[in-house]
Amino acid sequence: MSVATPLRAVLPPAAGRDPFFDNAKFLAITLVVSGHLVEDLRDVPVAHAAYFYMYTFHMPLFIVLSGYLSRNFTFSSGKARKLISTLAVPYVIFELLYSLPRLVLYGRLDISLLDPYYLTWFLMSLFLWRLSTPVWQQLRWPLTVAVGLSLLSGMSRLPDELSMNRTLGLLPFYVLGLMLRPEHFEWLRRRWVRAAGAIVLVGGGILALATHTLVKTEWIRWRHANDAIGVDDLTGSLIRLGMLAAGALLVAAFLAVTPARRTWYSGLGAATMYAYLLHGLVVKVAERFYGDWAQTVAGVTVVALLGVGLAALLCTEPVRRATRWAVEPRMSWAFTRLRKPG
């Protein structure tokens, strides 16, 4: 691609990083950004099918990777400070920033730091998941317990505070990531597994196109209890199990086809949190300008491709420099000197 050379110049290789994970994160963030851009176009059947398909696994993919990369988390002073500066403080900043479009567009100013708005739920949930990491590492059957908690969470109308429904509902994906080891990813890179992954992804897309109108959208959002979606707990638990299994299968298939070599977008994959947190501000504005041109298959395609470009742009170094104060604020001034346990 023509942008490869300038992107390499802007984003030099990060020492010690595995390009496989950076590639996976960048490809995943393109799905997130494109998915949010086409969300308001779901009256077009292909847009609704694509939205349903992407939401089945794009956040589970991020969560699995987050769990895997959190395996060494402890309650040490350094890790606690990083948790505060990379999740807690950006959460507060973007809760405030995302209140501004609501004020300008809808005349409402609603700020609730305990009730995440729009994209910020992921920061809240990841903060809680990461805090729980040492607990899961002590259990004999952590994934079984996590799945049980996910199913139980669907049986109660949990409060919106702390994003409890999503935090508990999607918990198995984080725990799955904690359980993975490098050899599992090596297995995914085998030729026959990669071929099977491609078949699964294509088959999943065809299945989504055929069934997207039959499954309520709320199942892929993990926001509500079973009765709020209109099913009993037995049916809801079976559907949740199916969504967990489908998500895990598609995550594995996606990772199987992800390039392991360094690519033009590997450097961008090291900055996906920038694209995640910033793109919502663009989406909220862009939705106001959708016209009849966007309500077509061609229009949806253009919007989705613009999402890929937007994701790449928001990961570049100039954007990172301009917005680092919000996404990765320097908080050394707020901390004391590192203290060793007494």
Side-chain angles (χ1 to χ4, degrees), residues 89-102:
V89 174
Y91 170 79
V92 173
I93 292 173
F94 279 91
E95 271 291 295
L96 296 174
L97 286 177
Y98 276 112
S99 69
L100 298 180
R102 279 184 291 178

Side-chain angles (χ1 to χ4, degrees), residues 91 95 102 112-125 160-164 166-167:
Y91 170 79
E95 271 291 295
R102 279 184 291 178
S112 174
L113 292 182
L114 294 180
D115 183 5
Y117 172 70
Y118 196 33
L119 305 172
T120 56
W121 72 266
F122 179 64
L123 293 181
M124 173 68 78
S125 295
D160 292 332
E161 285 74 13
L162 303 182
S163 189
M164 291 307 298
R166 279 170 167 156
T167 299

